[in-house]
Amino acid sequence: MTRNTAREIATHLAYELSFTDLPIDAFLDLHLSGESFDDLAPECDIYATLPNEKQDRYIRRLVSGVSEHAAELDTYIERYAKGWRFDRISLVASAIMRVAMFEMMYMPDIPHSVSINEAVEIAKKYEAPETVKFMNGILGSFLREEMKES
């Protein structure tokens, strides 16, 4: 499994956070189990291989961080979504942007350009081209305005 795949799994789980009341550790234990991957693998090839220890830590850090900082991340998304109310943005698009913004803000070992590029590539799989462009604009504005000193 590549880091790109681990990031996409983290994005799926960040999306799933919208539909659960489970504590984050229980949620992650459930979704990162071999049984969960076995169930999902026939539907989605990114679940064909269980994450190794390093990938598991990365996914857990991302999803836990998105969960913990969701309100903060959503404020940034809304701030840079010029002309759009947050509730008009799809849950998938929101999850993708939350993951990218969390990486930029809290994971200094990942270059900002990588976070944005990976978010755009993931978005291309799940969103219409105009939404991908919109998301890229939000992430670019966020980077220019909020991450100036990073």
Side-chain angles (χ1 to χ4, degrees), residues 120-136:
V120 167
E121 291 305 312
I122 291 169
K124 286 178 181 177
K125 290 181 163 185
Y126 302 101
E127 294 287 350
E130 56 274 2
T131 303
V132 175
K133 184 177 177 181
F134 172 70
M135 293 169 60
N136 191 35

Side-chain angles (χ1 to χ4, degrees), residues 42-62:
E43 300 171 29
C44 187
D45 62 348
I46 66 171
Y47 294 98
T49 305
L50 199 60
N52 65 29
E53 187 178 327
K54 183 178 177 182
Q55 294 155 344
D56 186 87
R57 278 194 315 271
Y58 170 72
I59 293 167
R60 287 174 185 274
R61 182 172 178 208
L62 267 179

Side-chain angles (χ1 to χ4, degrees), residues 76-77 79-82 97 100-101 104 112-113 115-117 119-120 131-148:
Y76 286 121
I77 293 169
R79 181 178 301 159
Y80 295 105
K82 304 294 183 195
M97 290 187 286
M101 288 178 173
M104 287 189 273
H112 297 152
S113 59
S115 296
I116 292 175
N117 184 59
V120 167
T131 303
V132 175
K133 184 177 177 181
F134 172 70
M135 293 169 60
N136 191 35
I138 290 172
L139 293 172
S141 295
F142 171 79
L143 176 62
R144 286 188 299 278
E145 296 301 318
E146 304 298 331
M147 306 304 296
K148 293 176 186 175

